[in-house]
């Protein structure tokens, strides 16, 4: 497994300030293991959690977790006070007591009674949130895509491994019956030899036109921007809309490719150590929302070549014809059978388009319960970080090829691009805005 090599010592970590990823002077470094080692959670103990990034998908994850009898939500953190009231109410109604509130996640990570955190921040924050959390001894439920670039993804997986932390990534399809049935069916060989995988998501939203405005008093915009490049505040670049900008998001490919391509990779692999592409080509641009502010393309066509198994994976986003689901993954066999899976179902067709019956495999427990169980058992969850680094990097490779405007080649053993092509793009590696620094872990 690519990330399963020798673990590292602290001295092997590189970075100008050792493993400390930020230089803000007033905060104690959260990486100091001896000081911040988390308590170990026994089988009968409550799992005490904090949420970083309220109001959106993080709030949804918290709502799933708060239902679990083993879980106690103790703290909420957001850089925008206006994003917190609903989540404060959810916690207060459940326990009859308000949660502790934070504006700086590093302060929350200092708490020894917190065992784990949910990361629901935008993509440009995941790497620092997660690495600081595992350095502080916390297990993590992290939203997808795991990172904003390839360098971050590798360091995050290595850091989680080094600190032996249990990380579940929010690709919840891995815990739903239609998707697990599709993956099991393909792996069983019943579909036949795979020739092609097709993954898609229709692009339905534009970013609109932004107007420079004063930063609202409820928002710590400096902390929202974090390691991303500074830009003047515009509402349509911040909450939820950050995903359409290279600086903070990963476009539709990082947003939805990471779900649909993930299922394609899982079906083509024997287990959660995923096959990765060797050659990647991508074309794309603003062909639909031509007048809006986004710089990430609204339309993408990408082809990835795999060697073992020998097949092509096609990823597509943009406008589409009606008549098929607006997203999905299709596995196509050499004799033309097609298995289609999406969030609404699972269908098998013969080579002439006639629908065939297909049996479902037994349902699993839900994605959030899987994480809770694994935190207690210390087993790897279904969307573990080593595996999700492979999916996330595969999606980043599409964005890298797009920005490089040429085909690129990937070596899974070395977990790196072959040659220089693509290495100067933001999705291979981004310079962090000072004083933020990415702690680099290898392994
Ligand atoms: N698994 C899924 O199906 C799914 C669905 C939607 C979104 N997501 C993922 O969830 C993440 C969040 O997406 P969203 O649409 O909810 O975004 P959002 O912008 O709606 O919410 C993010 C929240 O994080 C806060 N935040 C930003 N920087 C912070 C920091 N440094 N500390 C604390 N809080 C900070 C923001 O103020 C905001 O309230 C993304 O990574 C996204 O890809 C996953």
């Amino acid at each position: 497994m690519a990330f399963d090599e020798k673990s590292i010592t602290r001295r092997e970590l590189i970075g100008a300030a050792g493993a400390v990823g930020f230089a803000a002077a007033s905060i104690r470094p959260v990486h100091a293991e001896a000081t911040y080692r988390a308590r170990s959670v026994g089988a009968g103990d409550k799992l005490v959690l904090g949420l970083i990034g309220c109001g959106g998908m993080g709030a949804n994850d918290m709502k799933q977790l708060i239902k679990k009898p083993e879980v106690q939500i103790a703290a909420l953190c957001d850089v925008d006070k206006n994003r917190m009231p609903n989540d404060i109410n959810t916690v207060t109604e459940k326990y009859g007591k308000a949660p502790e509130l934070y504006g700086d996640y590093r302060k929350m990570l200092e708490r020894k009674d917190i065992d784990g955190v949910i990361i629901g921040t935008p993509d440009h924050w995941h790497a620092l949130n997660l690495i600081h959390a595992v350095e502080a001894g916390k297990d993590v439920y992290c939203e997808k895509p795991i990172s904003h670039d390839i360098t971050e993804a590798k360091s995050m997986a290595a850091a989680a491994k080094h600190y032996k932390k249990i990380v579940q990534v929010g690709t919840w399809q891995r815990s739903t019956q239609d998707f697990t049935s599709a993956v099991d069916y393909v792996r069983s060989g019943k579909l036949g030899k795979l020739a092609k995988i097709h993954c898609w998501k229709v692009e339905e939203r534009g970013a609109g036109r932004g107007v420079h405005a004063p930063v609202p008093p409820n928002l710590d915009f400096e902390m929202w921007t974090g390691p991303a490049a500074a830009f003047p505040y515009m509402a349509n670049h911040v909450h939820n809309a950050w995903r359409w900008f290279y600086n903070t998001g990963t476009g539709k490919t990082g947003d939805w490719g990471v779900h649909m391509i993930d299922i394609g990779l899982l079906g083509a692999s024997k287990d959660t150590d995923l096959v990765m592409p060797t050659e990647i080509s991508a074309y794309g641009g603003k062909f639909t929302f031509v007048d809006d502010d986004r710089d990430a393309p609204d339309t993408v066509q990408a082809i990835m070549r795999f060697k073992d198994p020998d097949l092509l994976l096609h990823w597509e986003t943009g406008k589409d014809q009606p008549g098929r689901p607006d997203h999905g993954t299709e596995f196509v066999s050499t004799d033309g059978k097609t298995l289609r899976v999406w969030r609404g179902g699972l269908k098998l067709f013969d080579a002439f388009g006639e629908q065939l019956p297909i049996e479902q495999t037994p349902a699993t427990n839900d994605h959030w319960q899987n994480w809770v169980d694994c935190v207690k058992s210390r087993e790897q969850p279904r969307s573990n970080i080593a595996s999700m680094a492979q999916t996330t990097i595969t999606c980043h490779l599409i964005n890298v090829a797009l920005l490089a405007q040429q085909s690129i080649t990937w070596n899974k053993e070395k977990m790196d691009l072959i040659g220089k092509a693509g290495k100067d793009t933001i999705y291979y590696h981004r310079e962090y805005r000072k004083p933020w620094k990415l702690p680099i872990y290898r392994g």
Side-chain angles (χ1 to χ4, degrees), residues 54 57 78 83 123 126 143-144 170 172 239-240 242-243:
C54 300
M57 192 59 192
D78 204 292
R83 297 281 291 191
D123 301 354
H126 292 181
E143 267 312 330
K144 46 50 58 175
W172 49 265
H239 298 319
N240 195 277
W242 49 263
R243 38 178 47 80

Side-chain angles (χ1 to χ4, degrees), residues 196-200 313-316 324 328-331:
K196 190 177 84 173
I197 300 171
H198 178 55
C199 308
W200 74 97
L313 189 153
H314 176 231
W315 160 248
E316 176 179 30
R324 65 172 179 170
T329 301
E330 282 176 351
F331 298 93

Side-chain angles (χ1 to χ4, degrees), residues 46-119:
K46 283 269 186 201
L47 180 63
V48 181
L49 302 180
L51 167 64
I52 307 171
C54 300
M57 192 59 192
N60 183 61
D61 294 326
M62 196 259 293
K63 278 191 189 127
Q64 297 296 330
L65 284 159
I66 205 169
K67 291 185 216 159
K68 316 282 177 205
E70 311 95 315
V71 166
Q72 171 94 29
I73 306 289
L76 304 178
C77 172
D78 204 292
V79 295
D80 185 343
K81 291 191 179 74
N82 286 4
R83 297 281 291 191
M84 301 175 91
N86 285 343
D87 299 345
I88 296 170
N89 285 346
T90 303
V91 177
T92 310
E93 274 170 26
K94 174 81 180 178
Y95 306 121
K97 180 174 173 280
E100 293 282 335
L101 304 182
Y102 296 86
D104 187 325
Y105 70 97
R106 296 168 296 181
K107 276 284 173 201
M108 189 166 105
L109 293 178
E110 288 181 2
R111 275 180 59 169
K112 291 196 187 103
D113 64 321
I114 290 185
D115 305 303
V117 290
I118 306 159
I119 298 175

Side-chain angles (χ1 to χ4, degrees), residues 10 16 28 70 86 119 132 139 159 166 168 208-209 228 258 292 306-307 355 359-360 365 378 380 386 415 422:
R10 296 195 64 76
R28 279 198 295 169
E70 311 95 315
N86 285 343
I119 298 175
H132 291 156
D139 295 309
I166 302 298
Q168 175 86 300
R209 278 283 188 202
V258 89
D292 77 4
F306 292 74
K307 291 280 170 58
Q355 201 176 331
E359 65 275 22
Q360 296 262 0
N365 61 359
R378 309 315 287 174
Q380 285 300 322
M415 287 300 276

Side-chain angles (χ1 to χ4, degrees), residues 173-189:
Q173 283 89 176
R174 286 193 182 197
S175 298
T176 59
Q177 199 174 12
D178 285 338
F179 287 97
T180 55
S181 299
V183 169
D184 288 346
Y185 190 81
V186 173
R187 283 187 183 172
S188 73

Side-chain angles (χ1 to χ4, degrees), residues 34-51:
T35 317
Y36 293 100
R37 192 183 295 279
R39 70 193 181 97
S40 63
V41 184
D45 288 348
K46 283 269 186 201
L47 180 63
V48 181
L49 302 180
L51 167 64

